[in-house]
RNA sequence: GGCCCCAUCGUCUAGUCAGGCCUAGGACACCAGGUUUUCAUCCUGGCGACGGGGGUUCAAAUCCCCCUGGGGUCACCA
């Protein structure tokens, strides 16, 4: 049996799309489970659109996700180089040999002529396709014109017949060759095109399985024919269902954020991103929604991949994020949330380190209240405001003002608080205050709403005695005093 | 439009390949209760689907055909 080798071959032409991430995850998991190799190859055949920056983003993004490649442009490997633009030599030789064997031919048609043909076909409501103008050209003439320096592209000659794909998720799919154009393998400038290099490089890198998005299904017969022409055994193919937007069309920027970077910036935990992506087109057992990446690797099989497209459900993604956050331990969550706090200018990295316990306590109180890391800073804003300038949100202030004796109640509470042992825990205080409220003949909201407003300016949130402890008694008392004035 | 793919709750899906265990299971969302100092968490319950029509069969969500619907693709992009 030949070695199991899979690859992901992204083109570095933009942000790291979630679809790429999912395809990478599926390929990687498949290889990992079976002891195969996972290869990263940069498909930069489009020199004008490819950028180094994008390549860097892909390498960083996929690495962040946790998929590790055994061979790639950054780590090298036995089949280097792993950047297609650096493999031109092999491509050129193959094109020439295909020309010699009659599987390909020179096409001297100008882009202008091709455009005219296409326009005429469209006007006649025909399917646009190459009209085969140069297909039957005499070999000698072709050679003569080439020698004379006339520019030409190289087209692959599609023979008569049909091709059947044995797709691992879709079964057999047959294409009549009449439907396939004599496609261009090499442009007039000599550079090879995708359908050509992808086959050439997959052969060179001994790729055994090609798992990619469904949009590539119709390319597959072209590639299969090329494998045949070159005399190589093709890999096994599997076409993954597309990830769809709310509009049920291929997920694109129109329907929302599509790049990995967007979700990282929005504070989705890595585990949630991975988990969610795994659920797009695949399910563990239909019952278990939450699982880690090791479990995914353990259970993933290409045969169990869904055929129908999967609509990207942001609500479920968000829920998965929230669930992941709730299950983290506080130290870990603190670390994840710290960059967002720093970015918001609330604390510096040093301050976070110096006040580690305080910070973790701050985080612990929000663990069940945030769905995304990015939601943390706005929720703890009051803890970074001046005691006499806490931002009162409308709802909080309105709630506080409902209570007639609010100013007096706050005053009496302040007195009560001053009388408590300064080292008393928040838990003990919370218990004690209930008795006090009863003694005072108050209802809970009559104290808690004005108090919460004075302390945090918010209508809801963590336990108030937790707030007091976080603030420190002095600051808490200052806020109550300021609140008495502001709520008068 | 041609070709190709697909079709279970609004969404992600289990069940389909090996027809009966399915009066179709889980999750998100939504609704209603409960817990709670608020918010949130959490718990309980509810709503909710085999696109339609023909077959095959004792029996079909599962097999076959047609229709309908959705998607992909038709570049000297990948």
């Amino acid at each position: 049996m030949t070695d199991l080798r899979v690859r992901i071959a992204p083109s570095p032409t933009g942000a790291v799309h979630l679809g790429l991430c999912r395809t990478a995850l599926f390929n990687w998991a498949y290889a990992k489970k079976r002891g195969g190799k996972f290869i990263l190859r940069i498909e930069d055949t489009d020199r004008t659109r490819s950028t180094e920056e994008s390549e860097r983003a892909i390498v960083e993004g996929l690495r962040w996700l946790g998929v590790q490649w055994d061979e790639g442009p950054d780590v090298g490997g036995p089949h280097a180089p792993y950047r297609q633009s650096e493999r031109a030599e092999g491509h050129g030789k193959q094109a020439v040999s295909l020309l010699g064997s009659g599987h390909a031919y020179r096409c001297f048609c100008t882009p202008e002529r091709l455009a005219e043909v296409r326009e005429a076909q469209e006007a006649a409501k025909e399917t646009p396709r190459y009209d085969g103008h140069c297909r039957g050209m005499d070999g000698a003439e072709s050679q003569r014109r080439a020698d004379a320096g006339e520019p030409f592209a190289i087209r692959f000659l599609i023979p008569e017949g049909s091709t059947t794909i044995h797709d691992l998720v879709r079964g057999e799919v047959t294409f009549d060759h009449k439907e396939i154009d004599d496609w261009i393998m090499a442009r007039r400038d000599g550079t090879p095109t995708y359908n050509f290099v992808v086959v050439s490089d997959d052969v060179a890198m001994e790729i055994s399985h090609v798992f990619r998005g469904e949009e590539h299904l119709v390319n597959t017969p072209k590639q299969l024919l090329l494998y045949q022409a070159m005399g190589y055994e093709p890999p096994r193919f599997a076409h993954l269902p597309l990830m769809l937007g709310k509009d049920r069309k291929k997920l694109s920027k129109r329907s929302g954020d599509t790049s990995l970077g967007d979700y990282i910036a929005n504070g989705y935990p890595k585990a949630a991103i991975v988990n969610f992506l795994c659920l797009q087109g695949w399910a563990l057992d239909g019952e278990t929604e939450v699982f880690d990446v090791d479990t995914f690797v353990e259970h993933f099989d290409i045969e169990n991949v869904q055929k129908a497209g999967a609509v990207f459900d942001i609500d479920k993604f968000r829920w998965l994020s929230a669930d992941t956050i709730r299950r983290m331990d506080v130290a870990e969550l603190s670390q994840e949330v710290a960059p967002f706090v720093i970015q918001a200018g609330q604390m510096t990295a040093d301050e976070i380190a110096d006040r580690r316990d305080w910070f973790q306590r701050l985080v612990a109180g929000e663990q069940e209240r945030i769905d995304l890391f990015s939601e943390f800073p706005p929720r703890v804003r009051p803890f970074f405001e001046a005691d006499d300038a806490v931002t009162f949100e409308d709802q909080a202030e309105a709630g506080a003002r409902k209570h007639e004796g609010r100013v007096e109640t706050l005053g009496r509470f302040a007195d009560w608080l001053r009388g408590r042992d300064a080292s008393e825990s928040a838990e003990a205080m919370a218990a004690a205050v209930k008795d006090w409220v009863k003694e005072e003949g108050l209802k809970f909201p009559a104290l808690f709403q004005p108090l919460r407003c004075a302390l945090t300016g918010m209508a809801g949130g963590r336990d108030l005695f937790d707030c007091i402890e976080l603030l420190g008694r002095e600051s808490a008392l200052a806020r109550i005093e300021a609140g008495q004035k502001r709520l008068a």
Side-chain angles (χ1 to χ4, degrees):
Chain A
M1 180 199 152
T2 54
D3 290 339
L4 171 57
R5 293 172 60 83
V6 299
R7 52 58 166 187
I8 179 101
S11 66
T13 53
V16 186
H17 192 100
L18 287 182
L20 169 66
C21 294
R22 187 199 55 170
T23 303
L25 237 15
F26 283 20
N27 273 282
W28 169 77
Y30 190 81
K32 187 168 164 112
K33 169 72 184 297
R34 286 147 224 266
K37 298 285 190 216
F38 175 56
I39 291 107
L40 171 66
R41 184 177 68 228
I42 298 295
E43 210 105 344
D44 56 352
T45 42
D46 185 342
R47 300 307 296 154
T48 55
R49 292 200 303 153
S50 297
T51 65
E52 271 178 45
E53 183 194 2
S54 176
E55 179 183 321
R56 217 175 307 122
I58 288 169
V59 167
E60 279 171 18
L62 292 180
R63 196 180 277 148
W64 182 88
L65 254 197
V67 298
Q68 294 164 23
W69 42 96
D70 302 288
E71 300 168 26
D74 55 334
V75 296
H79 298 276
Y82 292 91
R83 206 172 277 120
Q84 287 191 319
S85 57
E86 295 167 9
R87 306 178 63 81
E89 215 178 306
H91 300 145
K93 272 187 225 152
Q94 278 169 332
V96 170
S97 109
L98 252 17
L99 224 39
S101 64
H103 290 291
Y105 60 92
R106 297 189 189 83
C107 175
F108 295 94
C109 296
T110 61
E112 294 72 33
R113 194 189 94 82
L114 260 17
E116 278 169 32
V117 171
R118 189 175 311 125
E119 272 169 43
Q121 286 166 333
E122 275 166 13
K125 288 187 183 159
E126 288 169 24
T127 302
R129 54 176 305 147
Y130 181 56
D131 63 356
H133 184 74
C134 297
R135 188 177 192 174
M137 187 181 293
D138 178 71
E141 186 194 347
S142 171
Q143 188 59 249
R144 181 184 56 72
R145 287 171 70 172
D147 289 344
E150 189 174 339
F152 61 88
I154 298 176
R155 283 184 189 271
F156 184 81
L157 192 152
I158 301 289
E160 300 219 325
S162 66
T163 290
T164 298
I165 302 166
H166 302 276
D167 191 286
L168 259 18
V169 344
R170 276 149 225 283
E172 299 199 340
V173 183
T174 301
F175 291 85
D176 192 314
H177 291 3
K178 290 188 186 71
E179 303 297 331
I180 310 172
D181 244 9
D182 283 353
W183 52 280
I184 291 194
M185 298 176 61
R187 308 180 179 98
R188 308 182 112 207
D189 65 6
T191 59
T193 61
Y194 166 77
N195 280 120
F196 174 34
V197 287
V198 77
V199 169
S200 171
D201 291 344
D202 281 345
V203 166
M205 295 182 183
E206 302 180 76
I207 300 303
S208 63
H209 299 254
V210 172
F211 303 156
R212 71 228 304 193
E214 199 201 322
E215 71 263 36
H216 287 289
L217 186 57
V218 294
N219 277 326
T220 312
K222 293 178 187 173
Q223 295 169 10
L224 241 16
L225 253 11
L226 184 52
Y227 277 99
Q228 276 172 30
M230 298 194 306
Y232 291 114
E233 181 75 19
R236 304 284 279 147
F237 287 98
H239 290 89
L240 275 23
L242 258 17
M243 284 172 65
L244 275 21
K246 265 268 174 276
D247 55 3
R248 304 200 70 91
K249 294 195 192 314
K250 203 160 67 159
L251 190 63
S252 73
K253 291 184 191 80
R254 297 179 57 84
S255 42
D257 287 340
T258 56
S259 77
L260 178 63
D262 292 330
Y263 291 93
I264 296 174
N266 282 332
Y268 284 77
K270 181 197 317 226
I273 296 177
V274 170
N275 196 156
F276 181 72
L277 255 17
C278 291
L279 254 12
Q280 297 284 288
W282 184 81
L284 215 196
D285 53 13
E287 302 269 307
T288 314
E289 310 285 327
V290 181
F291 48 84
D292 62 24
V293 70
D294 293 331
T295 306
F296 171 63
V297 170
E298 181 59 28
H299 295 271
F300 177 75
D301 192 331
I302 194 70
E303 315 259 346
N304 300 129
V305 170
Q306 184 94 1
K307 295 193 200 57
V311 175
F312 185 88
D313 183 355
I314 191 72
D315 285 333
K316 187 157 183 173
F317 194 5
R318 199 185 173 87
W319 168 79
L320 216 34
S321 171
D323 187 68
T324 304
I325 286 174
R326 278 173 231 128
R327 292 141 54 88
M328 285 179 162
D329 62 62
V330 183
E332 188 186 0
L333 180 57
S334 298
Q335 243 175 42
E336 295 284 9
V337 123
F340 291 87
V341 169
I342 294 166
Q343 198 195 340
Q346 292 173 328
M347 295 174 84
T348 65
D350 286 344
E351 285 168 343
I352 290 171
D354 290 346
R355 306 177 67 192
R356 191 165 165 277
D357 291 345
W358 183 86
F359 186 66
Q360 289 201 1
R361 177 155 198 159
L362 185 72
V363 170
E366 297 302 331
Q367 179 157 24
E368 294 187 333
R369 287 168 240 270
I370 58 172
D371 290 351
L372 309 169
F373 299 145
S374 60
E375 290 174 351
F376 185 76
R379 291 196 56 90
V380 296
R381 185 200 60 213
F383 297 96
F384 301 100
E385 291 182 310
D387 292 334
D388 59 354
V390 173
T391 305
F392 284 3
E393 290 176 1
D394 292 346
Q395 203 191 331
E397 186 164 348
R401 286 186 183 282
K402 278 192 313 209
H403 305 286
E404 279 303 332
R406 58 188 175 276
V407 175
E408 199 209 336
T409 302
L410 282 176
R412 296 177 68 82
F413 177 76
D415 291 340
W416 178 83
L417 186 59
R418 281 188 200 96
R420 307 296 298 183
D421 177 357
S423 64
E424 191 177 26
S425 73
E427 291 74 20
M429 235 188 287
V433 83
K434 289 179 187 173
D435 293 333
W436 181 77
V437 167
K438 274 179 209 147
E439 282 165 26
E440 291 288 311
L442 292 168
K443 296 226 187 288
F444 285 126
L447 168 65
F448 288 117
Q449 284 194 302
L451 182 57
R452 184 173 292 283
C453 181
L455 257 20
T456 69
M458 291 177 171
R462 70 218 293 152
D463 174 69
L464 279 173
F465 296 91
D466 190 32
C467 293
I468 289 172
E469 194 158 312
L470 243 14
L471 249 16
R473 190 157 298 185
E474 203 178 312
S475 171
L477 286 167
R479 287 181 184 216
I480 292 169
E481 210 173 302
Q484 281 179 280
K485 288 180 192 135
R486 297 176 63 187
L487 293 170

